[in-house]
Amino acid sequence: MPSGLAARLSAIDEQIADAARTAGREPEEITRIVVTKFHPAELVRELHGLGVRDVGENRQQELSAKQSALSSLDLRWHFIGQGQTNKAAAIRRSADVVHSVDRDRFADALHRAADDDDRLDVLVQVNLTDDPGRGGAVPADAVSLAEHILALPSLRLRGVMAVAPLDEDPASAFARLREVAERVRTVEPSASWISAGMTGDFAEAIAAGATHLRIGSAITGPRPDRG
């Protein structure tokens, strides 16, 4: 008996597959990350039972708590929120991928937190707005940040990440991100991931070459009251 969660997950996966085929791509090329911000660990356990293996969190405290509670499950944890250098060690202990490396200092802090010879998958976060207060490196600095990451042996550069601005057509924003991704690949050809696209704009992201989508409440349902 499909639950509401199962039905929403299935519906989104069908939409992703349709968007991929429309863009001339294979649905299997795209990783769907379910963002479970503010939802309990039990919902993540239910998602795992439905076949979900990639889960995203915005806040270090939630990431750490849920990963610890569900450590027996084969989940891949994606940290997608703004990273603080003083929380880098805690993020690194719990995350398999960090999408939001936006400055040298955060990359350095993640590197210093390395344990033995493990390598952490990271992406350069790109700010597609004119607001310097938004997370992400400005596009012109993305390659230099990528080069800085490449000099840190405990980090593995996977690609780029961005959020489309609210006041711009997402198709044009993601086209600009794709150009940044191409420049990053000139210094690391294997950095092929493009993390872009959320509930309202994942079709445009797929058309622009996104490999990883970050889908939240369209799958999980409304976020619980934080209180």
Side-chain angles (χ1 to χ4, degrees), residues 169-206:
D169 172 29
S172 65
F174 292 142
R176 291 190 288 117
L177 179 64
R178 184 171 189 161
E179 293 172 359
V180 175
E182 290 169 353
R183 294 202 299 272
V184 167
R185 285 198 296 273
T186 66
V187 298
E188 180 48 77
S190 69
S192 60
W193 295 9
I194 299 177
S195 171
M198 299 187 292
T199 297
D201 56 23
F202 65 76
E204 291 89 345
I206 289 170

Side-chain angles (χ1 to χ4, degrees), residues 18 34 148 157 195 200:
D18 288 345
V34 182
H148 186 87
L157 179 64
S195 171

